[in-house]
Amino acid sequence: MADNNKKSTQAERLVQLRRDKGLTAEQLAQAMTAAGAKVSRGAISNWERGTNGIVSSKLPTLARILGCSEGYLLRGESAADTELPRPNSAPELAIAQSGGQYRVLDEHISQSQKPISQADAAMTQAPSPTNQTSDPFMNTIKKSDKLQNVCYDIRGPLLQTANKMEAEGKRILKLNVGNPAPFGLEAPHEILRDVSMNLPEATGYSDSQGIFSARKAVLHYYQSKGLLSAVDVRDVYLGNGVSELIVMTMQALMNDGDEVLIPMPDYPLWTAAANLAGGTAVHYRCNEDDNWHPDIEDIKSKITPKTKGIVVINPNNPTGALYSDELLRQIIEVAKAHNLIIMADEIYDRILYDDTVHTPMSTLTDDVLVLSYNGLSKSHRIAGFRAGWMLVSGQKQHAADFIEGLDMLASMRLCSNVQGQYAIQTAMGGYQSMKELTSKTGRLYKQREMAVTRLNAIKGISCTMPQGAFYCFPKMDPEVYPIEDDMAFMMDLLVEENVLMVQGTGFNWDKPDHFRLVFLPNIHDLENAMDRLDRFFAKKRQQFGTD
């Protein structure tokens, strides 16, 4: 095998070795973390795509788990090259599954037990020639190792390829990003007018947490929904969208090695922010057969002494699922029993279909600390204004030090975009035009119905009906579409049909059998995209012999 793979790339060798072991990327990441070399599934995926090279500090553990030499992984060296065993005969580590997590049983193999070639020894002592420049006094400037565990495929290689194709004059049908503005979904005129009228007042810094009127409007919004806790404007933080506030939260909360429970699939910024803060994102399963509702027992099984909190995305991105009050109360009881923070991402709470109702988690408990995240990017179609907020409610007495950390980080960034802050009071109290778009006669409702109907009509594709947001998360039957690399599959779709979507593993789903479709384009463009999907999947079935 080594001789055949000598001409292969580092990424290809890694993929083959992992598959030979019968491991998924998620399982390999768990095994490496258990062996003391913390790494995320996203980092493994980046290595396997060739986006990043294998981190040198992780290489010894990776090689031991895969049963090969470091030289073989890095350069494809055969046993003859390195005087090391071939990958399929090298010392192996036993890997066992426990509670959904993979652990290394024999993780105490010493370096003296592991044969090391002169070439490998040199690799650990000197920089790789590929990292050197022609100037002997200049080292290559590389990104931080902390970013090796960060993955955000929504704006990753697929989008970069699409941008290149557009530069060549091709028209790409983009079903990848939940950004309403490019699809003709205009912002309410009243908001634009009020922001423009307040521009003279928005030229300087504001209070680090935000202007008073906007924070008061946010507070009134939750009080009108039945907020249980006594809070004031000091419990509201305005941010440059929810994204900034998520990163701030993880930086304030996580120490190295701490864990946070995040849904699978997830909005990948949550996982990236946890990893960037030095923590570990532990994914609990959402069940497709149960309308993508969180698996409570799976949540319980993944709580450890290191767990700090539970992330709840409701309505969910990427599945569009909406959670019942009963389910939310079950999650609250788990958090209460283990003294965990609840981080409730509710950015789509006003984008609902079929007369459904969303319940903020802050209105269901004051027994646990709840952080509620929301904003105007989606509901009011002003994503570029970056107008988001976070509300702190519930049990705050024991969280004074954590809240002090939030205050510190809010002050360090000085303040969020002040112009966008002036949109909040008007938006929260004015006419909610989103209701027209999601009603049975509304544009988003019709686009949702058409997209899901067309998807379910494709052989081997099944899709639940989303109750919120503007996404759906279809499944590809692995018997019909035996895919091993879903990103490569989506790349084929992009190149062959000029349709851009994001693969399911980009949302930290653990199998290459899903993708996310954004149904924001107008009905004509969406029909065009679905026609192309029909053609693409039919061609793939012919290639796989499953038609």
Side-chain angles (χ1 to χ4, degrees):
M1 184 179 75
D3 292 336
N4 291 335
N5 279 336
K6 190 170 182 180
K7 296 180 181 179
S8 65
T9 66
Q10 183 182 109
E12 291 169 342
R13 290 191 294 274
L14 175 55
V15 171
Q16 187 60 53
L17 288 165
R18 174 178 61 74
R19 291 174 180 167
D20 289 346
K21 285 290 184 181
L23 297 174
T24 66
E26 178 76 17
Q27 292 162 359
L28 178 56
Q30 292 172 358
M32 289 188 64
T33 299
K38 177 187 168 186
V39 70
S40 70
R41 183 210 62 79
I44 298 291
S45 296
N46 284 337
W47 297 346
E48 292 189 349
R49 294 168 188 155
T51 306
N52 295 327
I54 299 172
V55 179
S56 58
S57 62
K58 314 291 184 184
L59 183 61
T61 302
L62 180 62
R64 291 202 302 275
I65 289 176
L66 295 177
C68 69
S69 71
E70 296 172 28
Y72 176 77
L73 259 180
L74 287 176
R75 300 175 298 280
E77 294 172 351
S78 67
D81 295 330
T82 63
E83 298 181 359
L84 283 174
R86 293 177 182 269
N88 59 0
S89 63
E92 297 185 2
L93 295 183
I95 301 173
Q97 185 178 17
S98 175
Q101 301 290 309
Y102 281 75
R103 56 194 176 89
V104 177
L105 297 180
D106 184 11
E107 58 188 83
H108 301 293
I109 296 178
S110 67
Q111 288 296 320
S112 62
Q113 294 174 291
K114 173 180 174 293
I116 302 177
S117 69
Q118 292 182 351
D120 283 343
M123 284 296 297
T124 63
Q125 296 173 9
S128 168
T130 60
N131 291 335
Q132 294 178 346
T133 68
S134 57
D135 186 342
F137 300 102
M138 183 179 294
N139 293 323
T140 300
I141 300 174
K142 301 177 67 177
K143 61 179 176 288
S144 165
D145 285 349
K146 290 183 292 186
L147 290 173
Q148 294 289 345
N149 285 331
V150 175
C151 183
Y152 192 77
D153 283 345
I154 294 175
R155 294 180 179 245
L158 285 165
L159 179 61
Q160 295 166 12
T161 301
N163 290 338
K164 291 179 181 178
M165 293 172 66
E166 284 186 322
E168 295 168 357
K170 296 178 181 178
R171 180 173 181 259
I172 307 299
L173 293 176
K174 295 183 177 178
L175 312 180
N176 63 315
V177 177
N179 182 14
F183 301 104
L185 291 161
E186 297 179 350
H189 178 74
E190 183 182 15
I191 292 178
L192 301 180
R193 183 190 61 195
D194 283 13
V195 169
S196 65
M197 289 179 61
N198 282 287
L199 283 178
E201 306 300 323
T203 56
Y205 297 131
S206 72
D207 181 280
S208 61
Q209 288 185 231
I211 61 176
F212 179 85
S213 61
R215 286 189 285 156
K216 194 70 172 179
V218 169
L219 180 58
H220 285 165
Y221 177 72
Y222 287 97
Q223 288 174 337
S224 71
K225 296 281 187 177
L227 179 66
L228 294 180
S229 303
V231 298
D232 60 30
V233 293
R234 289 175 295 180
D235 296 309
V236 178
Y237 296 78
L238 304 187
N240 291 302
V242 169
S243 300
E244 180 186 47
L245 296 166
I246 290 172
V247 174
M248 281 175 53
T249 299
M250 293 301 175
Q251 294 289 339
L253 180 65
M254 308 290 283
N255 289 317
D256 289 351
D258 285 345
E259 298 174 354
V260 61
L261 297 175
I262 297 174
M264 178 178 67
D266 71 344
Y267 175 54
L269 179 66
W270 281 103
T271 294
N275 291 333
L276 187 60
T280 299
V282 177
H283 294 100
Y284 65 83
R285 184 167 294 276
C286 295
N287 293 325
E288 187 170 15
D289 293 338
D290 187 26
N291 291 318
W292 288 111
H293 286 169
D295 185 328
I296 299 298
E297 294 305 314
D298 193 48
I299 292 175
K300 293 177 181 178
S301 72
K302 290 176 176 174
I303 295 174
T304 73
K306 295 181 179 180
T307 307
K308 302 295 288 290
I310 304 175
V311 174
V312 180
I313 306 175
N314 178 39
N316 184 264
N317 177 7
T319 67
L322 179 68
Y323 304 154
S324 67
D325 289 7
E326 178 185 358
L327 179 60
L328 296 176
R329 288 193 176 97
Q330 291 181 52
I331 296 173
I332 288 169
E333 287 305 311
V334 173
K336 183 178 177 181
H338 296 275
N339 193 29
L340 303 179
I341 298 173
I342 290 176
M343 288 158 271
D345 183 345
E346 299 169 338
I347 188 72
Y348 297 100
D349 71 331
R350 286 149 291 175
I351 306 176
L352 305 172
Y353 307 92
D354 306 320
D355 299 320
T356 53
V357 177
H358 175 270
T359 301
M361 295 195 79
S362 61
T363 67
L364 295 176
T365 182
D366 57 7
D367 294 330
V368 299
L369 183 65
V370 178
L371 307 180
S372 301
Y373 303 82
N374 212 320
L376 305 180
S377 293
K378 316 297 185 178
S379 60
H380 291 77
R381 288 86 69 201
I382 52 172
F385 282 40
R386 312 310 298 130
W389 62 80
M390 174 178 67
L391 172 75
V392 182
S393 65
Q395 284 287 346
K396 294 178 288 186
Q397 297 89 337
H398 68 301
D401 195 59
F402 165 64
I403 293 173
E404 182 181 328
L406 289 176
D407 292 340
M408 183 182 303
L409 291 171
S411 297
M412 286 172 61
R413 53 92 202 242
L414 299 178
C415 65
S416 68
N417 170 37
V418 182
Q419 291 85 355
Q421 293 182 40
Y422 276 102
I424 294 175
Q425 184 179 24
T426 300
M428 301 307 287
Y431 173 67
Q432 302 300 306
S433 57
M434 179 54 69
K435 291 182 179 180
E436 287 185 9
L437 293 168
T438 57
S439 69
K440 288 187 177 181
T441 59
R443 171 180 163 179
L444 288 179
Y445 184 96
K446 293 177 181 179
Q447 291 166 193
R448 177 192 69 145
E449 296 291 304
M450 188 272 286
V452 175
T453 299
R454 290 287 303 270
L455 286 166
N456 283 322
I458 300 174
K459 181 180 178 180
I461 303 294
S462 59
C463 185
T464 61
M465 182 66 74
Q467 292 183 297
F470 27 69
Y471 313 109
C472 52
F473 200 60
K475 179 179 181 179
M476 299 176 286
D477 185 343
E479 296 296 322
V480 181
Y481 306 100
I483 300 162
E484 294 185 350
D485 186 338
D486 56 349
M487 183 178 180
F489 193 73
M490 289 295 105
M491 190 68 78
D492 288 347
L493 172 64
L494 172 61
V495 173
E496 295 174 22
E497 296 292 347
N498 294 356
V499 176
L500 174 61
M501 293 190 296
V502 181
Q503 75 280 4
T505 56
F507 300 92
N508 291 297
W509 186 245
D510 61 350
K511 296 178 181 179
D513 60 358
H514 282 76
F515 58 92
R516 187 185 76 167
L517 183 145
V518 179
F519 52 84
L520 282 172
N522 65 61
I523 201 78
H524 173 76
D525 285 343
L526 201 55
E527 285 275 16
N528 186 0
M530 299 310 301
D531 290 342
R532 298 184 189 194
L533 286 180
D534 277 340
R535 185 167 59 232
F536 175 76
F537 280 109
K539 183 166 56 176
K540 289 298 180 181
R541 290 194 301 273
Q542 290 182 343
Q543 292 177 4
F544 293 135
T546 58
D547 203 357

